[in-house]
Amino acid sequence: MIMIVTGIMAGLNTDEYIDKVVKFAKKRNMDIKVYDVFDMISKEKNADIVHLLTMNDLFFREMRENAYLRIALDIKRNNVEHAIIKTHATSEWNSVGFDFRDANAIKEIKPDMVVTLIDAEWLIEKRIMDPKTEMEKVFHKQFKKYDNRMEKVLDWMNREVSQAEDWARSMSKDWNEFIPDYVVATGQPAESLFKFFLDKNVPVFYASYSMTHATDEIRKIVDEGIKRLRQFGIVLDPQAIEIGLESEPGLDKDATYAYTVHRDLRYIVKKLRQNKKNAIVALHPYKERPPFTSGMCDELGTARDYG
């Protein structure tokens, strides 16, 4: 399995999550080699991310393409069986967005899958506003000038997922031989990403249930159902990303809710049609008078519409 893993540049705990996946695989006698595209470029050119994002677009594109070609060569020469190529599909600097149209170069790597990592928008905002990594410190200076930072984070994630999806489509030969792409939350267990390395056609299940109305008793039943479901494939649990309960009411909350609906339906539910083994599993364990949940209705309705 050669996997392209994308995610927004700052505030996302990508390195931490990938490290968990690699260690999880190591304990099961599988070596996964990690290539960090932007780190390779920075070290080779002795340039920080600010310099890269403010240089001539053509020069920066050439650097990325050369990095992908070097990775492709290394994989071929060393017969690398399992690899994660960590990269970014988009960025933003001084309020100007960049879409990295690198599909042709990435195609030389012959990836089996594209995965975009996401996280709770309020956690991303919190990390950038209280920066710990060099990348977060760099983007903090740009980020703090925005009045509505949560909407900015949502926009970043939306563009990242869309561009990564375009990569997968561009690199696919046709619908009979396509490169699957999925969206995975860093709140998911490391086992989720690892299972793709065992079988790229492993069934992927989306657990649809009401998080709003669930009591502790119902929650335990749902958790048990998800645990049993993991025996048969990957379970994408919407609880891996939750709307921040402490977020302020108003525009941020509205934007987050709208994005949550958009994310679950378009980025997660609709992508399940890539494999006939995939399914939405409704967990609604109420003996009587089950509560109405619009989210579950939307998810099951979308599943019906898209087969």
Side-chain angles (χ1 to χ4, degrees), residues 108-231:
E108 297 299 319
I109 297 174
K110 298 180 180 178
D112 298 297
M113 180 175 292
V114 176
V115 173
T116 304
L117 298 180
I118 60 173
D119 199 1
E121 62 291 323
W122 59 276
L123 271 176
I124 292 173
E125 179 187 18
K126 183 178 179 181
R127 292 188 192 111
I128 299 177
M129 291 306 293
D130 184 21
K132 298 293 190 299
T133 68
E134 286 304 313
M135 190 74 84
E136 288 168 357
K137 291 175 182 177
V138 168
F139 276 87
H140 172 75
K141 297 176 182 179
Q142 296 280 319
F143 191 63
K144 65 182 181 180
K145 69 182 181 182
Y146 295 113
D147 294 327
N148 201 309
R149 301 185 187 101
M150 197 173 293
E151 278 199 353
K152 178 55 67 175
V153 171
L154 296 175
D155 177 57
W156 286 352
M157 286 196 289
N158 182 56
R159 287 175 43 230
E160 185 76 14
V161 173
S162 295
Q163 184 63 21
E165 185 178 83
D166 286 346
W167 281 1
R169 288 178 178 174
S170 298
M171 292 186 289
S172 299
K173 292 183 179 179
D174 52 48
W175 280 108
N176 295 319
E177 192 175 345
F178 67 93
I179 296 175
D181 74 288
Y182 288 98
V183 174
V184 176
T186 55
Q188 288 278 147
E191 179 186 20
S192 299
L193 211 60
F194 169 73
K195 283 183 177 179
F196 281 127
F197 285 88
L198 296 176
D199 178 11
K200 76 172 185 177
N201 294 312
V202 62
V204 179
F205 306 112
Y206 176 78
S208 178
Y209 58 90
S210 172
M211 290 190 291
T212 307
H213 303 289
T215 62
D216 291 342
E217 181 182 358
I218 293 297
R219 182 68 238 192
K220 288 180 181 178
I221 298 174
V222 169
D223 287 344
E224 181 60 31
I226 291 175
K227 183 179 179 181
R228 291 170 59 188
L229 201 56
R230 285 191 178 126
Q231 299 174 30

Side-chain angles (χ1 to χ4, degrees), residues 187-188 205-216 218-227 229-230 235-242 260 263-264 269 280-286 291-300:
Q188 288 278 147
F205 306 112
Y206 176 78
S208 178
Y209 58 90
S210 172
M211 290 190 291
T212 307
H213 303 289
T215 62
D216 291 342
I218 293 297
R219 182 68 238 192
K220 288 180 181 178
I221 298 174
V222 169
D223 287 344
E224 181 60 31
I226 291 175
K227 183 179 179 181
L229 201 56
R230 285 191 178 126
V235 181
L236 300 179
D237 185 351
Q239 190 178 229
I241 299 182
E242 293 184 0
T260 300
R263 179 197 68 215
D264 288 355
V269 174
I280 292 180
V281 179
L283 302 171
H284 210 49
Y286 296 89
F292 173 76
T293 163
S294 59
M296 180 181 286
C297 289
D298 289 339
E299 289 156 7
L300 293 178

Side-chain angles (χ1 to χ4, degrees), residues 86-104:
K86 179 202 165 192
T87 188
H88 307 288
T90 63
S91 186
E92 182 174 306
W93 193 254
N94 285 333
S95 302
V96 178
F98 301 92
D99 291 338
F100 300 140
R101 305 187 185 280
D102 299 335
N104 286 337

